[in-house]
Amino acid sequence: MLLLAGCAGLSDSRQRLPAGIDADELLSKIAACHLLRVVQSGDRAATDAVVIAALDQYGFEVEQMIERANYLARIAAARPAQREQMVEIARSACAHLVRLTGAASGLVRFDEEGGVDRTWLVVDGEINDGFADKVIARLRAERAVGLVINSPGGSLYEARRLGRWLRENGIPVGVNELCTSACVDVLAGGIERYVTANVRLGIHQSKVPAHLSSHEGGQLSVVSAALYLREMGIDDSIALAAAAVPNNRMYWISLAEALDTKLATKVVAGF
């Protein structure tokens, strides 16, 4: 029912199990995290990077994990009313494996030869109506494991909707040229956030909706931006910095500030 390729060469010697968890429970956590990525992507050749790390670190066989994942899938199929609860358990399992292994969570796919598929989708241009659905559809159709975006911004609604989907589905995001305004919210959604040394990251105030006063609208904009960044695990000082800049100007975020606030997790040479 499930397939995980490319994990040959796992360690034969199991490390000591973490305190407070036995081998059976740990195997279930690994299988649940794996199953989550398979279901999300609709791809039997998908898993999570922390699943691979945990299999290697604790010496479980891939076949053991697949057998347990199939068992969990049967339980889930028999209890459709508990689907959301089971999804939340799987999310918690992935988060627990991050803490145990020190590895970064993220979608991993394998090609037909069992090697890691490193396909990233590149998207340029304005974030307009329907943007999130279009990008999600392309990510799925092209079996991409990451998103590179360069955009002057646009719809905050579309950017945050896409950002939340990227985080939920374990997709990293990279920027190698320009990412301003609402584009920063897409970057924030990446499970890992990569930028190049010459990237330009810019923020400013959001435009106030016509039915609101500038004061009321400005307050709502700052609060919603701060809450979204907190949700993504990023310092909300970014939102406060944006609030101080009119929307016809730009505040340019330095690489040091991007890293300090966790808007970026790593500076890379390119994609």
Side-chain angles (χ1 to χ4, degrees):
M1 182 175 180
L2 301 175
L3 170 67
L4 180 64
C7 284
L10 294 180
S11 172
D12 292 331
S13 58
R14 180 176 299 171
Q15 290 189 16
R16 180 178 298 176
L17 293 172
I21 185 170
D22 61 25
D24 189 68
E25 183 181 358
L26 181 55
L27 180 59
S28 289
K29 286 181 179 290
I30 295 170
C33 184
H34 168 68
L35 188 60
L36 176 67
R37 296 303 182 215
V38 168
V39 171
Q40 286 176 330
S41 64
D43 186 354
R44 293 189 307 155
T47 190
D48 193 287
V50 294
V51 168
I52 299 172
L55 289 172
D56 187 45
Q57 183 166 323
Y58 297 107
F60 290 106
E61 297 295 331
V62 174
E63 292 75 14
Q64 291 177 283
M65 188 273 292
I66 292 175
E67 183 179 358
R68 182 61 55 87
N70 285 334
Y71 170 73
L72 295 177
R74 289 193 295 272
I75 291 177
R79 303 175 184 176
Q82 298 179 20
R83 182 182 182 280
E84 286 304 316
Q85 180 182 358
M86 291 181 176
V87 168
E88 189 55 41
I89 290 171
R91 291 190 191 116
S92 297
C94 289
H96 194 184
L97 294 179
V98 169
R99 296 192 296 271
L100 292 179
T101 65
S105 182
L107 176 66
V108 175
R109 276 191 168 105
F110 297 97
D111 58 29
E112 293 180 358
E113 287 73 40
V116 177
D117 187 339
R118 303 186 186 280
T119 301
W120 282 55
L121 174 67
V122 179
V123 173
D124 299 311
E126 187 175 353
I127 300 170
N128 47 27
D129 290 345
F131 183 84
D133 284 336
K134 290 174 185 176
V135 173
I136 291 168
R138 288 188 61 192
L139 284 164
R140 285 175 167 160
E142 300 181 30
R143 293 168 48 89
V145 296
L147 171 68
V148 177
I149 183 168
N150 291 285
S151 170
S155 167
L156 282 173
Y157 169 78
E158 293 288 337
R160 290 174 187 168
R161 184 163 171 265
L162 176 57
R164 289 186 172 102
W165 185 90
L166 293 166
R167 180 62 62 89
E168 173 64 22
N169 286 268
I171 307 290
V173 176
V175 180
N176 59 357
E177 294 177 6
L178 176 76
C179 184
T180 62
S181 190
C183 177
V184 171
D185 286 347
V186 177
L187 173 62
I191 199 159
E192 292 291 319
R193 299 166 295 284
Y194 303 117
V195 297
T196 56
N198 61 347
V199 73
R200 301 181 71 205
L201 303 174
I203 51 175
H204 56 193
Q205 291 178 11
S206 301
K207 290 185 179 180
V208 176
H211 67 284
L212 297 175
S213 71
S214 59
H215 177 69
E216 179 187 10
Q219 287 184 318
L220 290 173
S221 176
V222 174
V223 170
S224 63
L227 290 175
Y228 174 77
L229 291 174
R230 287 182 189 175
E231 179 185 340
M232 296 298 115
I234 294 165
D235 194 313
D236 57 17
S237 62
I238 294 289
L240 298 178
V245 181
N247 59 36
N248 61 350
R249 296 176 57 193
M250 193 70 68
Y251 174 82
W252 296 104
I253 304 169
S254 68
L255 280 180
E257 185 176 5
L259 291 167
D260 286 345
T261 58
K262 298 183 180 179
L263 178 61
T265 54
K266 189 176 182 180
V267 178
V268 297
F271 299 94

